[in-house]
Amino acid sequence: MPVPDYALLLDPPAFPAERYAALADRLAALMGTENDVLLIQAEAVLALEAAATSLARPGLRALNIVTSPYGAWFGGWLERGGATVRNLTASPAKPVTLKEVEQALDEGPDFDLLAIVHAESASGILNPLPAIAALARQRGIVTLVDAVASIGGHAFEADRLGIDIAVIGPQKALAGPAGVSAISVSEKAWELLSHGGAPDNSMLSLLDQKKLWLDAGRGALPGTPAPLEFYALEAALDRIEAEGLASANERHERAAAATRNGIRALGIPTWVEEPHASALVSTAILPDTVEAKTFLAAASQKHGADITAGVGPGAERLIRLNHTGRRAHPEAVKANIVAFSSALKSLGHAADTDSALEATEKAYFDADPNRV
Ligand SMILES: *Cc1c(COP(=O)(O)O)cnc(C)c1O
């Protein structure tokens, strides 16, 4: 592949001030919300830290659901700000169950905030968000959802679910840039955010964003925004809107179904059952006889594959096959299956690549028999 001329990225014109509001509106439409949407000039982890830091105060009681390192960090940021945090940690690398959440809510105290990750690319799981959001809503608890990985890969409609704060980034299923992110904020969430100890004159302050951008008429963003990131976000939104969000979700679901079929055809168990599996990455359990490090080294040699170890407690022995964003496509799915199978074979484990490929194709065919 020829090396692109990166000098073309130099000296870009400023992003036009009048186009930021349109970007926020388009992101709001993707999130299914009429709430305020803030543009955060940083990667999504900073948006999460900003939300936690802005909410945190002594006296705030939070139920923080932990299903990956992201959730663990979130609880830590809340505690740093003096909040009382009950971390509800799911079984290692598994989704939280509705029963666990219900029990924690019943045990109390009366929580002000419930925080959860929608889908995890760290372990390939999907949390039962709609049912959990309904529980929180019944009890009048403000909800915060990390939908960074799920947006564009799973149905996520913030207003229909009653999500007060949603954090998203374009760099996963939306296949956009990693240097910007967005946060939607409901009226109820603004009330919780408006407290005496809230940070100000800070990149982590949501109230600053409200004052300096929302209330100022949504023109130029404060500071010197990185124009390349915003042009890239605009292009990513053009592409995803042209495809349609429902179709992007479907593309991810099909890639997951095809990947899982292929893995199982190799005689390898998948980590979680269908309803609990994310559509972003699929996770498989390596046989005990196969050493993970050697396997990953072998799998990564195959062109077009993206196979890595799981991240976080309980996920270390899991193997992730990535089918997020542009990779949610038959060619990338098949490249992963071929790499997985070849790596098994190279380590002396029996594997039939042809029948695994047939199984992936069958999943695509079953989803759409008219596809050529
Ligand atoms: C990817 C992701 C983020 C953003 O983190 P990076 O690893 O820095 O891209 C946040 N939350 C979740 C659930 C993610 O999957």
Side-chain angles (χ1 to χ4, degrees):
M1 274 227 297
V3 178
D5 182 3
Y6 292 113
L8 291 171
L9 302 178
L10 290 172
D11 315 318
F15 189 80
E18 66 278 10
R19 297 218 306 249
Y20 289 114
L23 282 180
D25 291 345
R26 293 167 77 182
L27 290 168
L30 286 186
M31 287 191 250
T33 187
E34 295 191 352
N35 291 334
D36 292 329
V37 169
L38 303 172
L39 295 169
I40 304 298
Q41 300 176 50
E43 199 264 350
V45 171
L46 186 124
L48 288 164
E49 184 173 353
T53 306
S54 293
L55 285 161
R57 59 169 162 79
L60 182 88
R61 291 148 306 181
L63 178 62
N64 181 52
I65 295 168
V66 180
T67 49
S68 75
Y70 296 111
W73 295 346
F74 198 83
W77 294 321
L78 286 174
E79 275 171 352
R80 185 180 65 190
T84 303
V85 181
R86 159 104 198 256
N87 285 308
L88 172 57
T89 305
S91 302
K94 292 279 172 122
V96 74
T97 66
L98 194 57
K99 217 168 127 209
E100 289 167 328
V101 178
E102 203 159 19
Q103 199 178 337
L105 289 172
D106 285 345
E107 282 168 14
D110 283 339
F111 293 105
D112 306 297
L113 175 74
L114 180 147
I116 185 169
V117 173
H118 186 194
E120 296 283 11
S121 46
S123 58
I125 61 98
L126 176 69
N127 280 315
L129 178 64
I132 291 172
L135 278 185
R137 206 167 52 223
Q138 281 159 19
R139 295 169 195 239
I141 301 171
V142 168
T143 46
L144 179 146
V145 175
D146 172 350
V148 177
S150 64
I151 187 87
H154 287 278
F156 176 77
E157 292 172 76
D159 287 359
R160 202 176 54 77
L161 296 173
I163 304 305
D164 293 293
I165 302 178
V167 179
I168 65 158
Q171 80 266 36
K172 300 275 176 72
L174 298 176
V180 281
S181 47
I183 307 179
S184 73
V185 187
S186 72
E187 273 304 316
K188 218 166 85 185
W190 279 127
E191 282 168 26
L192 203 59
L193 285 159
S194 306
H195 58 91
D200 62 354
N201 298 329
S202 164
M203 290 298 277
L204 298 175
S205 165
L206 300 195
L207 284 180
D208 275 9
Q209 301 283 332
K210 177 168 162 48
K211 187 174 70 188
L212 298 174
W213 188 64
L214 275 183
D215 297 349
R218 300 199 304 162
L221 285 177
T224 308
L228 295 176
E229 292 297 311
F230 286 99
Y231 288 117
L233 174 59
E234 212 169 47
L237 290 173
D238 287 345
R239 187 165 65 178
I240 207 86
E241 287 166 0
E243 177 184 12
L245 191 60
S247 157
N249 288 338
E250 222 167 74
R251 184 161 51 75
H252 283 84
E253 270 161 37
R254 285 178 193 180
T259 301
R260 294 165 65 81
N261 256 21
I263 295 170
R264 290 203 211 95
L266 290 170
I268 300 292
T270 48
W271 172 237
V272 283
E273 293 304 314
E274 217 74 33
H276 309 297
S278 107
L280 312 159
V281 304
S282 294
T283 34
I285 310 167
L286 265 195
D288 288 339
T289 49
V290 177
E291 214 263 311
K293 225 167 151 181
T294 330
F295 174 87
L296 287 167
S300 66
Q301 309 219 318
K302 279 276 169 188
H303 182 69
D306 186 349
I307 296 183
T308 51
V311 175
E316 305 89 345
R317 280 259 340 143
L318 298 179
I319 301 297
R320 298 188 296 178
L321 291 84
N322 178 10
H323 40 78
T324 305
R326 303 313 287 166
R327 293 196 60 82
H329 186 277
E331 292 318 310
V333 166
K334 286 192 273 184
N336 277 346
I337 293 298
V338 169
F340 200 108
S341 180
S342 317
L344 282 178
K345 276 195 279 196
S346 74
L347 299 180
H349 196 279
D352 181 346
T353 309
D354 287 344
S355 27
L357 282 178
E358 259 170 48
T360 61
E361 272 164 7
K362 183 172 182 310
Y364 271 111
F365 181 82
D366 289 349
D368 181 6
N370 297 319
R371 189 179 151 266
V372 279

